[in-house]
Amino acid sequence: MKKILIINGPNLNLVGMREPEVYGQVSMDQCIGELRILFPEVTLDYFQSNIEGELIDKIQQVGFDYAGIVINAGGYSHTSVAIHDAIKSVTAPAIEVHISNIFAREEYRHVSLIASACRGMICGLGLSSYRLAIESLLS
């Protein structure tokens, strides 16, 4: 069975409560549950941290054994060379996701420092971004 890790960065533990006009009202727990139903042939693991080093540790921990990584690094997408380097250091392909359309938000969100380390990016499609990323990794 293929393994895919979904990694969420800072403040994404509050999805469903935080700024519902931007992030919606569905929690990540609900989203992960729905994804596990949609992809029964995949072992979907989930990890969230507000700490940059923990995200890097997790990427390194699974990055040579998993079929792929779906990563929403949150604000670290726009600031972390270290997460970029961690993604580049492992063999598992990564898809960057954003729940909101980062290009329709504040200008500082328009640049992703991790994008060039990833196979692709999906943004602005709400929690469906995670489903689409998994489909991409499976194709």
Side-chain angles (χ1 to χ4, degrees), residues 36-89:
R36 287 183 174 137
I37 291 168
L38 282 173
F39 299 100
E41 74 282 11
V42 177
T43 299
L44 280 178
D45 290 331
Y46 178 67
F47 180 77
Q48 188 279 327
S49 178
N50 294 319
I51 301 169
E52 182 179 25
E54 290 181 0
L55 300 174
I56 293 165
D57 287 344
K58 185 55 83 170
I59 292 166
Q60 292 176 355
Q61 178 186 1
V62 306
F64 295 96
D65 299 321
Y66 278 52
I69 297 171
V70 175
I71 182 164
N72 184 342
Y76 289 136
S77 301
H78 318 292
T79 63
S80 183
V81 172
I83 292 174
H84 169 277
D85 291 349
I87 294 167
K88 292 277 290 188
S89 297

Side-chain angles (χ1 to χ4, degrees), residues 2-58:
K2 288 188 176 185
K3 292 182 176 182
I4 293 176
L5 175 65
I6 297 171
I7 297 178
N8 272 348
N11 301 308
L12 292 165
N13 54 309
L14 298 177
V15 168
M17 298 179 288
R18 169 191 178 202
E19 299 176 88
E21 67 282 359
V22 175
Y23 298 101
Q25 296 181 332
V26 175
S27 72
M28 280 308 302
D29 286 341
Q30 291 170 295
C31 177
I32 298 300
E34 291 172 12
L35 291 171
R36 287 183 174 137
I37 291 168
L38 282 173
F39 299 100
E41 74 282 11
V42 177
T43 299
L44 280 178
D45 290 331
Y46 178 67
F47 180 77
Q48 188 279 327
S49 178
N50 294 319
I51 301 169
E52 182 179 25
E54 290 181 0
L55 300 174
I56 293 165
D57 287 344
K58 185 55 83 170

